[in-house]
């Protein structure tokens, strides 16, 4: 955080530009309570808490924000991006779940991967998504680079106007 001096043994390449403090969050509460029902907001906050406490490796889920235009998906993602500035990377789930041999080339070893506006209604191959979510080794195959395995221990967030269609109840 901003009030801490980074040390070599922290193995950190970025530093958040804020320091968490106890205080009022009435503006955040007012905004988020307008956008989300209490149960849905608690799920979002639970994921943020799991990420902040480095517990995502214990959770085999991803955060899927669904709704029409103007329902707050983008607002929630912007807030999360600001909270984790420097610690998130974009990902294209349509590409990740497609048939390209380079579908995994975009997977990064960061705590948070975000697809702001995905259409995962037509998943062609869900193996990569399931491995990413289950924190299993996934071979990263990027163009002109040697393939290597990564275990993604972070959170995947995606937002969409379309519903997520599960092809098989047993597929994860």
């Amino acid at each position: 955080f901003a009030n801490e001096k980074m040390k070599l043994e922290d193995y950190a390449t970025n530093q958040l530009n804020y320091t968490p403090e106890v205080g009022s969050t009435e503006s955040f509460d007012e905004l988020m309570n307008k956008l989300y029902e209490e149960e849905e907001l608690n799920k979002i906050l639970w994921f943020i808490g799991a990420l902040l406490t480095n517990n995502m490796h214990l959770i085999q889920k991803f955060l899927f924000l669904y709704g029409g235009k103007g329902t707050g998906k983008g607002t929630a993602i912007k807030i999360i991006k600001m909270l984790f500035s420097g610690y998130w990377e974009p990902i294209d789930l349509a590409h990740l779940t497609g048939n390209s041999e380079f579908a995994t080339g975009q997977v990064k070893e960061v705590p948070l991967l975000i697809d702001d506006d995905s259409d995962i209604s037509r998943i062609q191959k869900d193996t990569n998504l399931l491995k990413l979510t289950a924190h299993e080794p996934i071979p990263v195959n990027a163009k002109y680079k040697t393939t290597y395995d990564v275990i993604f221990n972070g959170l995947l967030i995606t937002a969409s106007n379309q519903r997520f269609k599960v092809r098989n109840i047993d597929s994860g």
Side-chain angles (χ1 to χ4, degrees):
F1 295 105
N3 66 337
E4 298 172 351
K5 183 167 173 43
M6 288 177 59
K7 300 178 289 277
L8 184 63
E9 51 275 0
D10 291 336
Y11 298 104
T13 55
N14 293 310
Q15 186 170 23
L16 293 171
N17 60 0
Y18 62 89
T19 301
E21 295 177 6
V22 176
S24 171
T25 59
E26 56 187 72
S27 296
F28 173 83
D29 295 339
E30 181 182 344
L31 174 66
M32 295 306 276
N33 286 323
K34 274 192 191 290
L35 297 173
Y36 294 99
E37 298 292 327
E38 183 178 358
E39 182 180 354
E40 301 306 314
L41 178 57
N42 285 338
K43 290 174 189 176
I44 294 169
L45 295 175
W46 181 81
F47 273 107
I48 291 171
L51 196 54
L52 283 170
T53 57
N54 200 23
N55 284 312
M56 276 311 301
H57 67 282
L58 304 172
I59 302 163
Q60 295 183 358
K61 299 181 185 308
F62 67 93
L63 181 58
F64 180 71
L65 301 174
Y66 161 74
K69 289 182 178 180
T71 56
K73 302 178 303 290
T75 302
I77 287 178
K78 283 179 188 173
I79 291 170
I80 292 168
K81 284 179 177 179
M82 288 189 317
L83 279 173
F84 296 98
S85 178
Y87 289 93
W88 71 272
E89 289 287 334
I91 191 165
D92 181 353
L93 288 185
H95 185 65
L96 180 73
T97 58
N99 286 322
S100 170
E101 65 181 293
F102 302 111
T104 59
Q106 59 184 326
V107 175
K108 304 283 191 265
E109 294 181 83
V110 293
L112 182 59
L113 293 172
I114 298 175
D115 187 342
D116 303 272
D117 187 19
S118 63
D119 180 4
I120 54 176
S121 61
R122 294 186 185 96
I123 291 178
Q124 296 173 3
K125 184 180 172 187
D126 64 1
T127 306
N128 293 331
L129 178 60
L130 295 175
K131 284 184 174 187
L132 206 66
T133 306
H135 313 296
E136 294 176 0
I138 185 168
V140 175
N141 187 12
K143 286 184 182 178
Y144 313 114
K145 293 185 180 176
T146 306
T147 302
Y148 60 95
D149 283 347
V150 165
I151 296 176
F152 175 68
N153 283 321
L155 171 62
L156 174 66
I157 299 176
T158 184
S160 180
N161 295 339
Q162 291 88 25
R163 290 183 186 268
F164 176 57
K165 293 180 183 156
V166 178
R167 65 171 172 83
N168 181 339
I169 194 75
D170 297 324
S171 69

